Every structure is written in C-alpha cells, then in structure tokens.
Amino acid sequence: MQDKGLRITKVRRALIQLFSEHSIPYTANQIEKKLFAIGILVNKTTIYRELQFLSQNGYITEVYLHSNEISYESAELKHHHHLVCESCGNVDDVINCLVSELNREIYQKKKFKIRTHTLEFYGTCAKCAHIKHIK
Amino acid sequence: MQDKGLRITKVRRALIQLFSEHSIPYTANQIEKKLFAIGILVNKTTIYRELQFLSQNGYITEVYLHSNEISYESAELKHHHHLVCESCGNVDDVINCLVSELNREIYQKKKFKIRTHTLEFYGTCAKCAHIKHIK
DNA sequence: ATTGTATTGCAACTGTGTTGCGTTTACACT
DNA sequence: AGTGTAAACGCAACACAGTTGCAATACAAT
Ligand SMILES: [Mn+2]
Ligand SMILES: [Mn+2]
Ligand SMILES: [Zn+2]
Ligand SMILES: [Zn+2]
C-alpha cells in the first residue's frame, strides 16, 4: 500500500477504514467525534493534517456542502452529487449527472477547459417533509 | 424603495449600485477594496452586516465559489452558473442549466424536495490556457 | 433644529484551518 | 531484540472569515 516511507498509524488506519466503510462525506469535526466514539482520542491538528495527506494522495476528495467547513469522502466512489437536507442535515447521493453533457459545449463556446465541477442540491428530505406535515 | 424605516446610507447605495452595474460575484474583501477605490472607507463589520441585510431582503444572493469565503451577486440575474478559473481566478457565467430537468426525477425517486442547487465549474480559462501554451 | 432609531465603528469574540517546534513513534536495518 | 531516522504527533500560537455587544453617529421625519 504505502512503500514510499509512509507509515500506518492508528489514525490513518481508522480514517481509511471509516471512508471505505461509509460513503458519507465527513467534516474534520465529525471525524473527531467518530474516532472518539471508538476510543481514539486524537488532536484536531492531526486530523486536519491527515485529511490533507489523504486528499493530496488521492484517497479522499473534498466536498463542499457548507460554506464554512470542508467535507471529505472516499475517492473511490463513482462520480455523484448530493442531496443536503436543510432541516436535519442528512446527506444523500444522486447518481445522475447531466453535467458532463455540457463540457464539450462549454469548451466550444467559451474555450474554458473544465477540470471538475460541484453540483449540490439543497432542500427538504422525505423524513423532514413528513414531520413538518403531521405537525 | 425602502419605506419600512430603512435608510439609504452611502454604503448601502454604493453596494446596490455595484451589484446592479456588475454581474460579477464579489466577496466582502473585494467589496471593501472596490469601495476604498472610489473613496468610501468603511469598516469590515459594516460590509458583512450590509451583505447580510441585502441578502436577507432579496437584493443579492450567496454564491459559493471558494471553500472559505462567500461571494454575492445581484439577485436580479437570471439563473445561471459559473466558470471559475483556477489559474487567474476569473469568473465567467454559464447560462445553460440542465439541472432543473432532474428536479422531478429526484423527487419521484427520493421524495427529496429541492429548494435550490449550486453548480460551479473549475478549470482553466482561455486566456490562461493560452499563456501556459506559449510558455 | 430636534428627535427616534437605524446604522456604524471598535473591540472582543467564535470557529475552521494552518504553522513552527520539540517530542514521540513507526518501521527499516542491523 | 536493539537502534537510527524520518514520519507523525501534540501543543501553542497564529491566520482569517465572519459575528456580537455596545456606545457613538447619521439619516430622515417632524
Ligand atoms: Mn457522496
Ligand atoms: Mn454570476
Ligand atoms: Zn457531476
Ligand atoms: Zn442551475
């Protein structure tokens, strides 16, 4: 796996396992709590550095769901987007992506070479809509 | 325009004019510089409060282009998305939006009611691609 | 001109994320 | 197993966007 002088520490192992088991995006704070819950007490700085490391080495990718906090998810997931519930914060996946159809068109029209894109949906999930309805 | 006790201050007037003249998204910092350049020296807090005010009252809308800073643009612009050049930072508009086609499909499949969505493109603009090429 | 209150500046604060540095730890090599 | 080295760590200090409390100021209506 890492034979370039990289080491398998307990935090690194825990994070890789977390991201491979769950396909949900996590923030640094959520990860801190998750690790604490399984008995791993680790400094915030270490988490930030590890997320940076995993991101730069292609294990995880950044996801922008909230304006002030970066989320991360496994880089092995197929290209997809997110449904973010503004009521409960739950995040679900959307597999559809019509965006790639635009790439050629945008390049021809604007000569802008798209490297990546973000597409996130904000609204109300089924559960929250139901709760609001019965109130 | 505002007959609900709201006042026309020099900052408010300047911001409304800025956003109506330019269809570019601006951050609080960019606005501070813009205002300074036309002789209006104003505290950052005031800018943040004014952006909050204009946003809550429907004059401007938030745009998420960078992970740590909120941009704002006129709320009167037609629905569109952005081409953000990762090399020079220039922001261009994209009018195409295939996303609305997904709304019904997503609701039927997931019962998730979409209120809004963000769709931003990151890559290299024509100018930067050209510069890189001749180097 | 006087007056009520919306707006402002300032200072202190919050929260995410980063950096420098001395210490600890993993692990490769003997 | 013992040891050297660099990766990884914790801690403290920092950077920076954005917020809040409060006293001072400015707008606009009388
Ligand atoms: Mn996802
Ligand atoms: Mn725009
Ligand atoms: Zn996509
Ligand atoms: Zn759209």
Side-chain angles (χ1 to χ4, degrees), chain A residues 23-25 63 73 77 80-82 91-93:
Chain A
S23 58
I24 309 166
V63 182
E73 65 181 8
L77 300 171
H80 66 282
H81 298 287
H82 299 102
V91 178
D92 197 1
D93 288 351

Side-chain angles (χ1 to χ4, degrees), chain B residues 19 25-26 51 54-56 58-64 70-77 80 82:
Chain B
F19 282 117
Y26 289 106
L51 288 173
L54 292 174
S55 176
Q56 281 167 3
Y59 293 101
I60 59 178
T61 54
E62 299 188 345
V63 182
Y64 304 114
I70 303 175
S71 301
Y72 296 86
E73 63 181 9
S74 169
E76 298 195 341
L77 299 171
H80 66 283
H82 299 102

Side-chain angles (χ1 to χ4, degrees), chain A residues 84-132:
Chain A
V84 183
C85 180
E86 295 170 316
S87 180
C88 69
N90 188 57
V91 178
D92 197 1
D93 288 351
V94 190
I95 300 166
N96 313 55
C97 178
L98 301 174
V99 176
S100 47
E101 299 173 19
L102 286 178
N103 282 22
R104 190 201 299 185
E105 194 178 336
I106 287 173
Y107 186 68
Q108 289 192 334
K109 209 183 282 178
K110 307 260 193 177
K111 300 299 174 202
F112 186 98
K113 189 82 185 151
I114 295 171
R115 183 185 65 79
T116 186
H117 63 264
T118 67
L119 169 58
E120 314 300 346
F121 300 90
Y122 301 86
T124 314
C125 72
K127 205 184 290 180
C128 286
H130 185 248
I131 290 170
K132 215 177 280 175

